[in-house]
C-alpha cells in the first residue's frame, strides 16, 4: 500500500475538515507516514496523534468539541489554547497564551496520552512550520527529534514549537524562542510541502487547500452594510483580510510544487539534488472545500465544526474512490 505524506494547512475552524480527512484515512487503514502542519492544523494533528485509534471512535478534543455545549465552546475559546486576555490592554495584541494551561488542556500532562503520542511518533514524522519574524524566514520544527524522549524539558520545547506555529498577530502576542520572534507559518506558506518532497519514504502527498472562497461576495456584503454595524463589520473585515493574506499565496505554492515535479520528471529521474538537498518527484492530491468560514468558534453557526468534519470525511471518500 502507498505511503502518504499529509499537509494540515492553517484555517481556523476550517481545520475540522482536515480532521475529517485524517480520521477517514485512519479508519480506511491508509498509511500516513509524514505530516506537516501550521496554524490550526497543528491542533488537529496533535489531537490526531494522541488519539487511541484502536479503542476510541474519534480524537479526544474533537469528541469534546462535537458536543457543542456552551461549556465546550468556552473550553475551545480559553482552555484549549490557554488564552488569557491582557489585564491592561496595550493595543498590540488581544491575548497571551499561558503555556502550562495550554499544555494541560491539550492533554499532554496525561501519561496515557503521552504514551499514545510517543507510540504514533514511532511510525509518523511530524514537522511544524513557523515563521521566524526576526530573520524573515520559515522554520520547520522536527517534532520527532524534539520528543525523542518525554520529560518536562522536551515537552516545554515541544510547546514552544507548537505555539510558534499557531501564533497569529495581532490576536496573540508573538512567541519568542532564543530571543527571536515567531508567528505561524501561514504568513510564508500555509501549505508546507517542502519536507515532504525531501522524504524518500513518502510516495504521494495529500494536501488541504482552503483558498476556494468567494472573497468577492464577502466584500460585497461588507461594503453594502449599514453604518451602524461598524463594530461587527470591522471585526469581519479584519478576519477577511487576515484570511486573504494567509491563504491566497497557496496558489503560488502549489504552482511551484507542480513545477518542481515537472522539472524532476524532465530529467528522466525520480529525484534531483539542489544545494546538497535531495527532492523527490511525488504526485500531489489536493482537496479544496468551497467557502468554509475561518472563525475558530462561530456562535452564529455553532454546528459548523461538526459539519466541516463530516464534509472532510465525505470528500475524502469521494476523492480516494477516484485515485
Amino acid at each position: 500500500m502507498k505511503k502518504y505524506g499529509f499537509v494540515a494547512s492553517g484555517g481556523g475552524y476550517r481545520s475540522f475538515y482536515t480532521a475529517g480527512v485524517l480520521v477517514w484515512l485512519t479508519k480506511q487503514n491508509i498509511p500516513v507516514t509524514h505530516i506537516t502542519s501550521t496554524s490550526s492544523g497543528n491542533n488537529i494533528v496533535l489531537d490526531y496523534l494522541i488519539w487511541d485509534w484502536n479503542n476510541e471512535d474519534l480524537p479526544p478534543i474533537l469528541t469534546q468539541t462535537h458536543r457543542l455545549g456552551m461549556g465546550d465552546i468556552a473550553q475551545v475559546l480559553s482552555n484549549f489554547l490557554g488564552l488569557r486576555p491582557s489585564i491592561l490592554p496595550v493595543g498590540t495584541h488581544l491575548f497571551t497564551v499561558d503555556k502550562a494551561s495550554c499544555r494541560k488542556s491539550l492533554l499532554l500532562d496525561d501519561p496515557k496520552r503521552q504514551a499514545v503520542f510517543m507510540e504514533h511518533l514511532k511510525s509518523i514524522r511530524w514537522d511544524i512550520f513557523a515563521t521566524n519574524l526576526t530573520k524573515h524566514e520559515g522554520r520547520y520544527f522536527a517534532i520527532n527529534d524534539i520528543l525523542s524522549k518525554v520529560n518536562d524539558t522536551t515537552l516545554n520545547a515541544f510547546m514552544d514549537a507548537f505555539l510558534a506555529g499557531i501564533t497569529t498577530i495581532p490576536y496573540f502576542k508573538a512567541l519568542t524562542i532564543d530571543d527571536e520572534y515567531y508567528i505561524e507559518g501561514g504568513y510564508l506558506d500555509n501549505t508546507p510541502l517542502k519536507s515532504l518532497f525531501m522524504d524518500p519514504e513518502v510516495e504521494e502527498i495529500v494536501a488541504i487547500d482552503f483558498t476556494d472562497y468567494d472573497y468577492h461576495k464577502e466584500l460585497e456584503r461588507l461594503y453594502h452594510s449599514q453604518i451602524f454595524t461598524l463594530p461587527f463589520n470591522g471585526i469581519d473585515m479584519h478576519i477577511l483580510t487576515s484570511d486573504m493574506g494567509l491563504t491566497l499565496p497557496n496558489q503560488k505554492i502549489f504552482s511551484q510544487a507542480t513545477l518542481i515535479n515537472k522539472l524532476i520528471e524532465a530529467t528522466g529521474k525520480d529525484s534531483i539534488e539542489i544545494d546538497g538537498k535531495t527532492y523527490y518527484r511525488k504526485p500531489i492530491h489536493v482537496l479544496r472545500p468551497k467557502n468554509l468560514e475561518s472563525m475558530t468558534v462561530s456562535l452564529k453557526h455553532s454546528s459548523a465544526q461538526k459539519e466541516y468534519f463530516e464534509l472532510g470525511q465525505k470528500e475524502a471518500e469521494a476523492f480516494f474512490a477516484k485515485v
Side-chain angles (χ1 to χ4, degrees), residues 93-277:
H93 57 280
L94 296 176
F95 301 100
T96 55
V97 178
D98 182 84
K99 191 187 298 185
S101 297
C102 183
R103 176 172 143 178
K104 181 178 179 181
S105 62
L106 292 169
L107 307 181
L108 287 174
D109 288 336
D110 182 339
K112 292 182 179 179
R113 294 295 175 188
Q114 289 179 8
V116 171
F117 190 16
M118 294 301 292
E119 186 62 28
H120 288 328
L121 288 180
K122 291 179 182 178
S123 58
I124 300 174
R125 284 181 58 187
W126 181 19
D127 300 326
I128 288 177
F129 185 69
T131 299
N132 184 318
L133 200 58
T134 302
K135 293 183 176 178
H136 298 195
E137 64 186 24
R139 176 178 174 180
Y140 280 95
F141 291 89
I143 303 306
N144 302 69
D145 294 340
I146 293 172
L147 289 174
S148 57
K149 56 183 178 180
V150 174
N151 54 45
D152 282 340
T153 300
T154 59
L155 282 173
N156 187 62
F158 167 77
M159 288 304 303
D160 280 341
F162 180 87
L163 293 174
I166 68 170
T167 297
T168 305
I169 55 177
Y171 303 112
F172 308 150
K173 184 177 180 180
L175 188 83
T176 54
I177 301 175
D178 298 329
D179 296 322
E180 295 176 342
Y181 281 119
Y182 282 85
I183 53 179
E184 69 155 91
Y187 290 92
L188 291 178
D189 183 355
N190 199 51
T191 311
L193 292 160
K194 183 177 178 180
S195 65
L196 297 179
F197 274 104
M198 297 171 64
D199 185 348
E201 298 297 318
V202 170
E203 297 175 84
E204 300 189 8
I205 298 172
V206 177
I208 313 297
D209 178 25
F210 295 120
T211 56
D212 196 345
Y213 187 80
D214 194 341
Y215 295 110
H216 180 98
K217 182 178 179 180
E218 183 64 12
L219 285 172
E220 286 287 296
R221 181 186 72 80
L222 291 168
Y223 287 151
H224 291 88
S225 298
Q226 299 299 315
I227 191 168
F228 60 82
T229 59
L230 174 63
F232 303 104
N233 286 343
I235 293 171
D236 284 348
M237 182 60 83
H238 189 84
I239 292 169
L240 180 63
T241 53
S242 176
D243 233 25
M244 292 164 63
L246 294 174
T247 60
L248 280 177
N250 270 20
Q251 294 184 353
K252 183 178 180 181
I253 297 298
F254 285 116
S255 295
Q256 290 174 339
T258 300
L259 178 61
I260 289 171
N261 270 335
K262 288 182 177 179
L263 286 173
I264 297 174
E265 186 176 7
T267 67
K269 301 178 181 179
D270 291 327
S271 65
I272 188 170
E273 184 175 322
I274 302 174
D275 294 332
K277 296 179 180 179

Side-chain angles (χ1 to χ4, degrees), residues 49-94:
L49 291 174
I50 64 172
W51 170 33
D52 186 347
W53 302 336
N54 296 320
N55 298 304
E56 295 177 304
D57 186 48
L58 294 175
I61 296 173
L62 178 66
T63 300
Q64 185 179 58
T65 306
H66 275 189
R67 291 198 299 258
L68 296 173
M70 289 305 296
D72 295 312
I73 290 175
Q75 167 79 4
V76 174
L77 279 170
S78 58
N79 294 337
F80 186 27
L81 293 179
L83 300 183
R84 298 291 182 269
S86 301
I87 296 176
L88 295 175
V90 295
T92 60
H93 57 280
L94 296 176

Side-chain angles (χ1 to χ4, degrees), residues 8-55:
S9 303
Y13 73 44
R14 290 176 297 199
S15 286
F16 285 100
Y17 176 97
T18 303
V21 176
L22 270 175
V23 168
W24 185 87
L25 290 172
T26 301
K27 292 190 174 183
Q28 301 304 311
N29 295 314
I30 296 175
V32 174
T33 61
H34 192 164
I35 301 175
T36 60
S37 65
T38 194
S39 193
S40 58
N42 297 347
N43 298 78
I44 296 303
V45 174
L46 177 57
D47 197 29
Y48 170 75
L49 291 174
I50 64 172
W51 170 33
D52 186 347
W53 302 336
N54 296 320
N55 298 304

